[in-house]
Each structure stands twice: as C-alpha cells, then as structure tokens.
Amino acid sequence: MRTNSNGRLEIGGCDVIGLAEKYGTPLYVIDEQTIRNICKDYKSAFSKYEKVKMLYASKALCNTAVSSIVASEGFGFDAVSGGEIFTIYKSGADMSKVLFNGNNKSFDEISLALDLGVGRISVDNFFEISLLNELAKSKSVDILLRITPGIECHTHEYIQTGQIDSKFGFDLSQIDEAVELILTECENLTLRGLHAHIGSQIFETKVFSDEIEILVKELARINEKYNLKLDEINIGGGIGVKYTENDCPPSIYETAEKILTSLEKAIEKYKIDPPALILEPGRSIISTSGVTLYTIGSSKQVPNGTKYVAIDGGMADNPRPAMYGADYSAFIVNKEEISLQKVTIAGRFCESGDILIKNINLPNPEEGDILCVLNTGAYNYSMASNYNRVQKPAMVLVNNSQSDIIEIRETLEDLISHDVIPDRLKK
Ligand code: LLP
C-alpha cells in the first residue's frame, strides 16, 4: 500500500477509494505481488538447505485464484478437506505436491484425495490407518505420521496444537504401535516420514528448534528400530505476523536461520542423512497481502462512555476478534490522520461481542467514510459465515494497477439457493 503523487492511497497500483466505489463494501482486497514477494522470501530464506519443500496451508485462504498464484511460485499445498483439495485441483495445481492433513478425514474425502492424485496423506490416528488401508487396496499411498511433540508455545490456547493434550496426531508413546501396524498390516501404505504442527501466530523461534529435535530424534529411532529409511520431516506452519504495533514477530529469514541451524545440529546429533524438510506456512504467506474495506454507517456515543462507530461488516467476514480476541490496525482511507478521536469499531451483526477494534484513534469517523482494516488476508474469508443471513463480501485481486474479481459478492438469491421448503409445508 502506498500514497501516489496525488496523495491518494493505492494498493497494487489501484486507487483504494476507487476499489470501494467500483466493487462496493465490505470488500476483501488481495495484493498479488505481496503474496509473490513473500513466497520468494521463503524460498530464498531456506535456499541453503537443498531438500526443502514449501506447502501453502490453504486453510488460511483458499480459492482458485490464490491457489494458482502460490502454485506458480513453486509451492505445494497442505489441504485439510475435500473442499480444499477440489479447489486446489480446479486451480490447475500439481496434485502430487498436495498433502492431505486433518484429524477426522472422511471416507469420501480420502477417496477424492486418492482419485485426484494427492501426493501425501498425513495419518492422524489409528482409525485413519485402517480407513486408509481399506481405501488403498488398489494403489499405493505415501503417508506421513502426524505426531504430537508435546510442545507448548505462547499463542492463543485455541490455536496451539502441539501440546500433549491435543486432538491432533499420535502421542509419542503411540508411535511404535502405529508404525508396526503400518508395516505389518498395510501393504499399500508407504511411510515416508513424520509430521507435526505446534501452533499458529508464533513469535518465538526456539519452539521450532525443540520441535525439530523431537522429529529428528524420532525419525532416527524409528529408522534404527525398524530398519527403515524414512527421510521426510514436516514441521507444519505457525510463523506469526504483525497485526499491530505491539506485535514483534521474527522475520522469515531469522526463523529460517534458527530452523536450519537446529536441523543441522539434530542431523549431526542423531547421525541421519539430511531428510527432506517440509514447511506449511499459511498466515505468514497470505495475511499481509489482504486488507478489508468497509463503509462506516451509524455511530453511538454512550453518555460519558464509549463512542461506537459501526461498519457494514464484522464478525461474519472477520470472526477473529470475537473468537480469539485478535487485534487489528485500521485507518480511514479518505481522511488525514488529524483531530483523532478514540472510538470502538462495531460490526453490524446482532451480537454485543461483534466488535472489530476496541479503542482506536481515528480522524472524526463519519457516515460514508471508508475504513481499511489491515492484514486480513489470513483466516478472514476462510472463516467467514453467513451469520444473520448476510451475504459474504466480494474479493478482488490487485496487481499492476489492475483489479479483478476473484470471489463474487453473494446475492440474496445465493443465500436461499440451498433452501428447500418440503411439499407438505406448501399451501
Ligand atoms: N499446518 C497445520 C497442520 C496446521 O494445523 C496449520 C494451522 C498450519 C499448517 C498453518 O499455520 P499458520 O502458518 O497459518 O499459522 N483460525 C486461527 C488459526 C488456526 C490455525 C490452524 N492450523 C486464526 O485465525 O488465528
């Protein structure tokens, strides 16, 4: 985002107010070049290690346009549902670079993954070993074993995943039983390595070192005990981003340095051949590429209290503040930052908890002003709902002064398109 010579704000070379006028609000705007630059940063930060594979965690934002951009940067995908797999397939991506992951994949989803040629399945639990074995009768399937490394990182409780009491993956004490089951009863399953993910929006790099130590140690132990040659470790995603001035995440380069140094040490310590290192960043790839534009409507001054300023969106297009107490930064696009007032940005949904930003300083916010919320690329659209039967916003992709719709704004007809009135209720 930058200010042009006429003092107007641009994103991807497109006038921000112009985007709001042309496409309406709320509007998700995604800057293609930012995604590409971050993908390139990831590749260059890890370039020292030859056997690195990047998978974009689609759950952060999944649609055909974004999938085709990250695929064209050489990334594969971490997909967690039939819907994500189908979207990635429809974007034309190389399905052999897709890993299917999740704690309760259905029979239909696994069948779809196998039919569409997904390259790896991360097996999460004993039930899934037998389900997959049943489905893999006619073809061989490469799998990873998802393990719970027992690492707690300092992030919101709901987005921690690597701690011992977690719904994801095999406990360290269950690994051998799982490996033995795969080796003795699952002829068509080929175990290629281990997978873990410790959490999201992580600001400390040490937890990645701890995770790598555990993954390499277990890989070496399994190879030795069962005379195998497992050669892949997948450390998941989780690298944090800066939502507000209070956030200080390490750069991709700093994180890469820590990860690669720890990996080298662990390889030496446990005397294994360098394994393939798989990463699954989601938020850190897509978050900063996105902003959401809203129009300010009503406002309310509580006597001697809060001034609420309401926007035309809220918790249905960005549930993160209501769910996790997540903080965002925002500004008014059409006004200079003078005579600031402390206000609270309220959403339009029928819930008191639908507050997007508490106590933010804005220049005299009034009806018709365009509010731009930063860093909304990750886990906004992908977690959006139709709460209160409100249509989901449109999404535009901007690049080189061009804007293209990549998600059409839902219509009222879209909202009822799956409704059915049974005949017996019809008069
Ligand atoms: N790999 C696995 C196995 C995951 O479970 C996740 C995220 C990722 C990779 C990507 O993590 P990232 O790089 O995006 O941190 N809805 C929450 C975030 C949930 C993350 C779930 N797993 C939020 O809005 O903060």
Side-chain angles (χ1 to χ4, degrees):
M1 203 169 262
R2 65 178 195 106
T3 309
N4 70 15
S5 51
N6 301 326
R8 306 258 305 188
L9 202 68
E10 286 183 348
I11 177 165
C14 299
D15 184 78
V16 177
I17 299 280
L19 291 171
E21 280 167 1
K22 180 167 179 190
Y23 299 103
T25 60
L27 182 69
Y28 296 116
V29 183
I30 300 288
D31 179 32
E32 179 177 341
Q33 199 53 51
T34 302
I35 308 177
R36 294 195 183 279
N37 291 345
I38 294 174
C39 288
K40 289 188 173 71
D41 278 344
Y42 258 100
K43 287 183 281 187
S44 103
F46 284 91
S47 60
K48 271 206 299 200
Y49 195 71
E50 218 177 292
K51 296 164 91 177
V52 69
K53 291 185 192 167
M54 304 286 180
L55 308 182
Y56 166 63
S58 303
K59 58 181 83 66
L61 169 51
C62 182
N63 59 28
T64 46
V66 167
S67 302
S68 76
I69 295 169
V70 288
S72 73
E73 291 297 331
F75 276 54
F77 296 85
D78 154 35
V80 290
S81 68
E84 287 188 3
I85 291 171
F86 186 67
T87 307
I88 294 161
Y89 171 72
K90 283 292 187 180
S91 77
D94 175 356
M95 297 306 280
S96 71
K97 290 188 182 174
V98 177
L99 168 80
F100 186 21
N101 179 39
N103 70 315
N104 193 20
K105 310 169 186 80
S106 73
F107 186 93
D108 286 351
E109 287 177 313
I110 298 177
S111 306
L112 179 74
L114 298 181
D115 287 349
L116 297 183
V118 157
R120 293 276 184 285
I121 296 195
S122 177
V123 177
D124 202 271
N125 48 62
F126 288 106
F127 168 71
E128 204 168 276
I129 296 180
S130 33
L131 188 61
L132 192 55
N133 191 35
E134 211 177 295
L135 280 163
K137 286 287 179 254
S138 54
K139 58 155 77 167
S140 94
V141 182
D142 288 326
I143 61 170
L144 300 180
L145 210 61
R146 169 87 182 251
I147 66 165
T148 314
I151 294 168
E152 297 203 10
C153 45
H154 300 115
T155 184
H156 193 284
E157 178 190 358
Y158 290 0
I159 49 178
Q160 283 181 355
T161 31
Q163 75 276 24
I164 288 176
D165 188 353
S166 160
K167 69 170 183 169
F168 295 103
F170 293 92
D171 187 83
L172 295 181
S173 63
Q174 298 169 320
I175 295 181
D176 287 6
E177 191 185 340
V179 171
E180 283 161 26
L181 190 65
I182 293 162
L183 294 179
T184 55
E185 308 208 0
C186 306
E187 220 187 318
N188 286 329
L189 303 188
T190 308
L191 183 58
R192 304 296 300 260
L194 299 177
H195 178 204
H197 169 78
I198 50 177
S200 198
Q201 185 61 354
I202 298 171
F203 285 2
E204 34 176 0
T205 53
K206 183 177 177 302
V207 285
F208 291 112
S209 306
D210 297 345
E211 182 190 13
I212 286 170
E213 159 84 19
I214 292 171
L215 283 167
V216 171
K217 181 179 174 191
E218 285 302 313
L219 197 85
R221 190 186 64 73
I222 298 166
N223 279 347
E224 171 83 23
K225 181 167 175 184
Y226 299 103
N227 193 22
L228 294 173
K229 287 200 166 65
L230 307 188
D231 62 356
E232 294 182 10
I233 61 163
N234 179 331
I235 64 169
I239 297 175
V241 301
K242 187 179 178 79
Y243 285 103
T244 68
E245 285 306 314
N246 299 329
D247 294 334
C248 300
S251 72
I252 292 169
Y253 288 91
E254 283 168 86
T255 310
E257 187 61 34
K258 184 79 173 177
I259 289 174
L260 294 181
T261 318
S262 323
L263 181 59
E264 270 163 35
K265 277 193 196 145
I267 289 171
E268 213 172 290
K269 180 168 170 192
Y270 295 105
K271 301 185 177 44
I272 61 165
D273 291 334
L277 171 69
I278 306 163
L279 299 149
E280 296 172 340
R283 188 192 311 268
S284 52
I285 298 283
I286 200 74
S287 179
T288 50
S289 75
V291 300
T292 308
L293 304 180
Y294 300 97
T295 304
I296 291 175
S298 65
S299 50
K300 171 187 173 178
Q301 174 69 62
V302 176
N304 304 318
T306 306
K307 176 160 185 186
Y308 289 97
V309 171
I311 50 167
D312 54 356
M315 67 187 292
D317 57 77
N318 181 2
R320 301 192 69 256
M323 274 183 90
Y324 315 118
D327 293 325
Y328 281 88
S329 313
F331 62 94
I332 292 180
V333 185
N334 50 297
K335 281 186 175 154
E336 280 182 42
E337 294 275 297
I338 42 175
S339 48
L340 298 173
Q341 285 179 18
K342 188 165 279 188
V343 302
T344 284
I345 308 289
R348 54 148 304 160
F349 296 89
C350 287
E351 234 172 273
S352 304
D354 178 24
I355 298 294
L356 210 61
I357 306 177
K358 275 189 195 144
N359 299 329
I360 176 174
N361 288 318
L362 291 178
N364 182 30
E366 292 166 300
E367 180 208 331
D369 286 344
I370 301 296
L371 184 81
C372 177
V373 178
L374 296 166
N375 247 328
T376 57
Y379 303 111
N380 274 225
Y381 169 74
S382 67
M383 293 173 71
S385 76
N386 290 114
Y387 187 44
N388 291 176
R389 278 250 144 160
V390 171
Q391 305 96 303
K392 283 195 196 135
M395 185 183 293
V396 290
L397 184 71
V398 292
N399 198 14
N400 286 331
S401 310
Q402 192 179 326
S403 62
D404 298 287
I405 282 275
I406 57 171
E407 290 292 336
I408 299 171
R409 185 179 302 284
E410 284 183 341
T411 62
L412 292 175
E413 288 299 331
D414 289 334
L415 289 176
I416 59 157
S417 63
H418 288 247
D419 292 8
V420 178
I421 303 180
D423 281 345
R424 66 187 174 74
L425 296 182
K426 290 180 184 155
K427 297 230 171 77

